[in-house]
Amino acid sequence: MADAPRQRKRKGWPVSVQEETFRGFANPVDPSPAELRAWAYQPDSVPLTSMPPDWDLLVSGDHLVGTLFDLAMDRSCPARRFALHCLYIYAADGIRTNFRAHPKRRFRKLVEQAERTGDELMRNWAHNSRMLLARPDLFVYRDWCEGGLVRENRRL
């Protein structure tokens, strides 16, 4: 029995959790930040088409916004554009509900950080978010909630 760990190692079995393939969410409707992060670096392991309808809307809340922001800031993240798409949803939801849905202070901190340290994609998100804050009439569902601004990478 004492040799069991060595046998596993010799057979090439994973020796740490980080080496394992992401196998899915315990509850895809309410994933943990760690699950979302693990999926984002292996998004083909659980395709978006297998997620619940409107999964992007479900994960775009306060509970995961910090994780989504980190993923969107990481240029090497395979699911970066999905995370950025969720940030657009988060921004629009907060602004359009006059920050009843999300804290204005958290939103402003994210925008300021994206302006300071983000690349063009993130600076465009920050700019567009500020534009929507100043002019809520700029809201177009296709742009903000269906990924239009992410696909086109344009400024309002």
Side-chain angles (χ1 to χ4, degrees), residues 3-13 15:
D3 292 336
R6 278 183 270 180
Q7 288 174 345
R8 286 184 181 199
K9 195 171 184 179
R10 271 186 272 153
K11 288 183 181 178
W13 293 353
V15 292

Side-chain angles (χ1 to χ4, degrees), residues 129-150:
S129 295
R130 285 195 185 274
M131 291 298 295
L132 186 64
L133 186 58
R135 293 194 40 213
D137 62 301
L138 291 175
F139 177 80
V140 175
Y141 189 85
R142 185 189 86 63
D143 287 342
W144 290 86
C145 299
E146 292 181 344
L149 289 170
V150 175

Side-chain angles (χ1 to χ4, degrees), residues 14-97:
V15 292
S16 77
V17 174
Q18 293 173 338
E19 294 176 14
E20 290 186 39
T21 302
F22 178 66
R23 303 223 189 274
F25 299 97
N27 178 1
V29 174
D30 186 23
S32 71
E35 287 175 326
L36 184 62
R37 184 177 304 282
W39 170 81
Y41 287 97
Q42 297 179 3
D44 294 336
S45 62
V46 181
L48 281 173
T49 55
S50 71
M51 297 298 185
D54 297 324
W55 190 63
D56 53 349
L57 300 175
L58 293 171
V59 300
S60 297
D62 290 320
H63 175 62
L64 296 171
V65 72
T67 303
L68 290 165
F69 186 83
D70 291 345
L71 296 170
M73 289 287 281
D74 183 355
R75 296 176 191 188
S76 68
C77 177
R80 180 182 191 210
R81 293 177 73 82
F82 175 80
L84 180 59
H85 164 64
C86 291
L87 290 179
Y88 271 102
I89 293 170
Y90 181 84
D93 194 31
I95 292 166
R96 290 178 39 84
T97 63

